[in-house]
């Protein structure tokens, strides 16, 4: 059954007792990976009746997810050397353009650990304006592999503020 909002009806089962387990499957590089799994729920099915299993929570299959360690510099220089105080970083899924994470931190607090992302291609963006009114931007295109901590070094460069 595909991913849906709300209840799902599955029919054409013979009456009896069944162990039901739900799995959330994703696709990474053409291969199916199990991202989520529910505990086993016992269901008693009776002839001609609908059995409501209620809400079943799925647990994350942690080894299938990955983390980022994001660091940055400004044309190879430190934040202080370039007059940068705060930075905004966005972690964007390349296939959907959905922002999975966005955070603003003091520039000197680099080496930010961001946890639990679905494997796949991401765009990691950094943007800021320095104390002189100049704009900085950095971008890294990365492939997050399951069960990894990917180190991302963003090299920000001066860009037009328009």
């Amino acid at each position: 059954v595909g991913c849906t909002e709300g209840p799902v009806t599955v029919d054409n089962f013979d009456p009896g007792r069944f162990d039901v387990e739900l799995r959330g499957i994703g696709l990474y590089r053409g291969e199916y990976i199990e991202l989520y799994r529910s505990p086993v729920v016992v269901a008693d099915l009776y002839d001609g009746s609908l059995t409501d299993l209620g809400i079943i929570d799925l647990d994350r299959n942690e080894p299938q997810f990955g983390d980022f360690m994001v660091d940055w510099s400004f044309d190879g220089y430190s934040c202080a050397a370039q007059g940068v105080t705060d930075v905004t970083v966005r972690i964007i899924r390349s296939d959907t353009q959905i922002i999975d994470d966005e955070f603003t931190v003091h520039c000197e607090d680099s080496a930010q650990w961001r946890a639990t992302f679905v494997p796949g291609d991401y765009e990691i963006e950094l943007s800021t304006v320095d104390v002189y009114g100049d704009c900085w931007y950095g971008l890294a295109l990365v492939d997050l592999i399951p069960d990894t901590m990917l180190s991302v070094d963003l090299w920000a460069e001066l860009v037009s503020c328009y």
Side-chain angles (χ1 to χ4, degrees):
V1 175
C3 202
T4 62
E5 290 275 336
V8 174
T9 301
V10 181
D11 51 16
N12 295 326
F13 281 91
D14 292 329
R17 176 165 277 198
F18 295 90
D19 290 339
V20 178
E21 182 179 54
L22 302 179
R23 296 178 184 189
I25 305 296
L27 199 59
Y28 176 73
R29 300 289 173 253
E31 299 291 324
Y32 291 105
I33 58 173
E34 182 180 293
L35 299 171
Y36 301 94
R37 179 185 290 217
S38 74
V40 173
V41 176
V42 176
D44 290 316
L45 304 181
Y46 302 99
D47 194 26
S49 67
L50 183 64
T51 301
D52 185 352
L53 300 180
I55 295 173
I56 300 175
D57 292 325
L58 282 79
D59 298 320
R60 185 180 293 133
N61 185 359
E62 293 294 339
Q64 295 297 355
F65 289 78
D67 302 338
F68 292 108
M69 179 64 74
V70 183
D71 202 355
W72 49 81
S73 66
F74 298 86
D75 276 341
Y77 294 95
S78 70
C79 301
Q82 298 294 20
V84 176
T85 55
D86 294 319
V87 297
T88 298
V89 176
R90 285 172 217 81
I91 300 176
I92 304 164
R93 288 289 307 261
S94 295
D95 59 346
T96 62
Q97 290 301 297
I98 292 174
I99 298 172
D100 274 2
D101 191 14
E102 181 173 12
F103 58 96
T104 300
V105 295
H106 190 271
C107 187
E108 298 293 341
D109 294 335
S110 62
Q112 289 287 313
W113 174 48
R114 309 309 282 190
T116 320
F117 292 85
V118 172
D121 294 323
Y122 286 86
E123 300 168 15
I124 315 290
E125 293 182 340
L126 176 141
S127 61
T128 191
V129 178
D130 64 27
V131 295
Y132 312 107
D134 295 323
C135 295
W136 294 84
Y137 180 79
L139 174 67
L141 304 176
V142 298
D143 176 17
L144 183 63
I145 299 168
D147 199 24
T148 61
M149 163 74 80
L150 181 62
S151 180
V152 179
D153 295 316
L154 292 166
W155 181 281
E157 298 176 330
L158 279 171
V159 296
S160 170
C161 291
Y162 302 104

